[in-house]
Amino acid sequence: MMLSPRLFHKILGFTLFLLPCYAQDCLPLNNNEMEGVVRQLEHRISQLEGVLRLKDMVTGSGGKIFATNGKKADYDTTLKTCKEAGGSIATPRNPRENDAILHFVKNFNTYAYLGMKESLIPGKFQILDGNKLSYTNWHSNEPSGKGEEACVEMYTDGTWNDKACNKNRLIVCQF
Ligand code: MMA
Ligand code: CA
């Protein structure tokens, strides 16, 4: 229901590719049959999204899907876990995305690391592709680490704190 068109097309393309000889003798599907397949897939995807929401594993925010496995890990392990799942660490780029991540932080009552790191200039942070932050939500008087706190965590009110990277925080990924 909240899937972005891009992701939907990825899933759709992949699934159709895998459909093994749907019609007898591997004939291509006609328009009607194709529409039926699309309807079935849409239905299945929204069922699965419903299950994941019910289990509080995904929150939508328009385009991006944020997801958690409910586990905790340090920053490097979080990066690895998200990458292995085919995503990346949650990186809020606007208030709506920040809220979507906050949903998990609140419900699991656990801070989460975000996809930002301190740059070579102490106290200046950037997103992981090296670009500077276009959106920030620092807690008052943060960042405070002055080169000693290279990672960023989200508090249970949604504000950010620069923090050492070796703590255990809720794993939240984006897809
Ligand atoms: C801790 C640590 C810092 C944070 C301050 C805020 C004492 O250090 O979490 O990252 O800035 O608390 O008081
Ligand atoms: Ca700090």
Side-chain angles (χ1 to χ4, degrees), residues 47-76:
Q47 283 179 313
L48 293 171
E49 241 193 304
V51 172
L52 293 175
R53 280 182 199 284
L54 189 66
K55 291 163 71 85
D56 205 16
M57 289 178 72
V58 303
T59 57
S61 166
K64 278 185 194 171
I65 291 176
F66 293 101
T68 185
N69 58 6
K71 295 182 182 166
K72 293 180 211 180
D74 63 23
Y75 179 79
D76 284 342

Side-chain angles (χ1 to χ4, degrees), residues 10-146:
K10 256 195 211 164
I11 294 170
L12 187 61
F14 189 58
T15 312
L16 289 176
F17 173 69
L18 286 180
L19 274 181
C21 298
Y22 185 77
Q24 322 91 302
D25 302 319
C26 293
L27 292 174
L29 305 184
N30 68 32
N31 265 350
N32 254 344
E33 292 167 330
M34 194 71 91
E35 279 169 23
V37 171
V38 170
R39 254 195 311 279
Q40 283 178 31
L41 287 172
E42 283 173 336
H43 180 63
R44 193 67 184 165
I45 289 167
S46 76
Q47 283 179 313
L48 293 171
E49 241 193 304
V51 172
L52 293 175
R53 280 182 199 284
L54 189 66
K55 291 163 71 85
D56 205 16
M57 289 178 72
V58 303
T59 57
S61 166
K64 278 185 194 171
I65 291 176
F66 293 101
T68 185
N69 58 6
K71 295 182 182 166
K72 293 180 211 180
D74 63 23
Y75 179 79
D76 284 342
T77 307
T78 299
L79 286 191
K80 186 162 171 275
T81 303
C82 290
K83 194 171 169 197
E84 281 173 1
S88 54
I89 183 171
T91 309
R93 302 305 306 272
N94 56 53
R96 272 188 314 121
E97 292 189 354
N98 206 70
D99 269 3
I101 300 165
L102 176 59
H103 170 85
F104 294 132
V105 169
K106 274 188 175 153
N107 283 357
F108 288 83
N109 195 26
T110 308
Y111 301 165
Y113 281 126
L114 302 176
M116 301 144 199
K117 262 209 145 163
E118 196 165 31
S119 69
L120 293 174
I121 304 158
K124 290 261 181 276
F125 286 77
Q126 54 191 26
I127 56 173
L128 298 187
D129 65 11
N131 280 316
K132 63 175 208 186
L133 305 178
S134 57
Y135 162 75
T136 63
N137 196 33
W138 295 113
H139 192 80
S140 55
N141 302 320
E142 305 293 348
S144 62
K146 299 182 177 72

Side-chain angles (χ1 to χ4, degrees), residues 141-145 149 153 155 161-164:
N141 302 320
E142 305 293 348
S144 62
E149 298 182 312
E153 64 186 358
Y155 285 153
N161 171 41
D162 60 339
K163 187 77 181 178

